[in-house]
Amino acid sequence: MATDTTTEVPEEVVDGNSRCFRFRGWKVETQKKAALSTVGRTHLSEACELPHIPLPEIVFGDNYLRLTHEPSGWTVSFNAHDALMTWAQHQRQDAHSTLTSYDVMYSCEYEGSIAEINQNGHHPTSTIEPTHDDIPLEKLREHTAILFYDHEIKLQDARYYHEFGSSIVLGDFEARAMSAADLRRVRSFRPLLPCPHASL
């Protein structure tokens, strides 16, 4: 998040593993905790409703990134729980229910969890619709002050873009896939590096 800092001063609160950043009507919250315990993994596995398929070995189920537009109540958050719920739903739809037929990469089209509720408990009137507008990547290359930075582990790549003063938030999502046969072909073209200890 970058913008002109000459007129307004952002607010940030750090409380243990959590951070809360506010600027021009937006609130950014992050939380980082240890990986889920055995009990936490069991509860998450039960919620996925795929008893024959294991979860990833390490799940940071309490970590999240959440962005809220406070005047409207529009919120988008990214967390492992919702991402795995999306993945599990796809597995059930594809009838993957055994240890030998599930997606071992845990890939899914998780674009974040969107909620809309304002301070009065009412749902705002914002709408979500497809658009041909692209995120202006050239603006992200401008040398401006970075007001907030944090790193969160994500399962998928999703980007959201907003210019302060506008009423539009752009979001895009990218997914890549390759068959096992195509992957083997790509690997077969990898150059062989000489062994540093080989002698002629």
Side-chain angles (χ1 to χ4, degrees):
M1 181 178 291
T3 189
D4 181 16
T5 61
T6 58
T7 58
E8 297 183 46
V9 178
E11 301 177 7
E12 182 173 3
V13 176
V14 179
D15 182 11
N17 298 317
S18 303
R19 296 177 63 187
C20 179
F21 173 89
R22 280 187 169 91
F23 187 69
R24 293 188 181 179
W26 283 90
K27 179 171 66 173
V28 181
E29 300 168 278
T30 63
Q31 177 172 278
K32 298 179 183 179
K33 290 189 175 182
L36 290 180
S37 64
T38 301
V39 175
R41 283 173 50 83
T42 299
H43 290 164
L44 183 56
S45 179
E46 292 173 350
C48 287
E49 298 180 356
L50 292 171
H52 302 294
I53 299 180
L55 294 181
E57 293 183 4
I58 300 177
V59 179
F60 294 89
D62 295 322
N63 291 8
Y64 63 79
L65 164 65
R66 182 165 57 232
L67 297 88
T68 302
H69 184 243
E70 294 186 295
S72 67
W74 185 89
T75 296
V76 58
S77 62
F78 302 89
N79 60 83
H81 177 277
D82 290 352
L84 285 172
M85 291 298 104
T86 303
W87 167 81
Q89 181 180 5
H90 290 175
Q91 295 300 294
R92 291 193 296 270
Q93 291 174 348
D94 295 339
H96 293 171
S97 58
T98 68
L99 284 172
T100 59
S101 65
Y102 72 96
D103 174 18
V104 297
M105 298 301 295
Y106 302 93
S107 57
C108 63
E109 295 183 0
Y110 174 65
E111 304 176 29
S113 305
I114 296 177
E116 299 180 277
I117 187 167
N118 58 26
Q119 295 178 352
N120 298 323
H122 302 299
H123 291 276
T125 57
S126 59
T127 58
I128 300 174
E129 56 187 32
T131 177
H132 294 292
D133 295 336
D134 295 325
I135 291 178
L137 298 180
E138 67 280 358
K139 290 189 176 182
L140 300 180
R141 300 187 183 100
E142 295 178 357
H143 295 284
T144 57
I146 297 176
L147 302 183
F148 179 85
Y149 172 83
D150 205 346
H151 177 259
E152 291 284 338
I153 299 175
K154 303 188 299 298
L155 296 179
Q156 296 288 333
D157 290 329
R159 293 180 295 189
Y160 285 86
Y161 177 84
H162 169 74
E163 290 190 17
F164 290 110
S166 75
S167 59
I168 297 175
V169 176
L170 296 176
D172 71 4
F173 171 80
E174 181 178 350
R176 301 180 183 182
M178 179 178 289
S179 67
D182 289 338
L183 183 59
R184 283 193 292 269
R185 270 197 300 273
V186 171
R187 289 177 59 86
S188 67
F189 285 106
R190 293 177 59 186
L192 297 177
L193 299 178
C195 176
H197 303 294
S199 59
L200 299 178

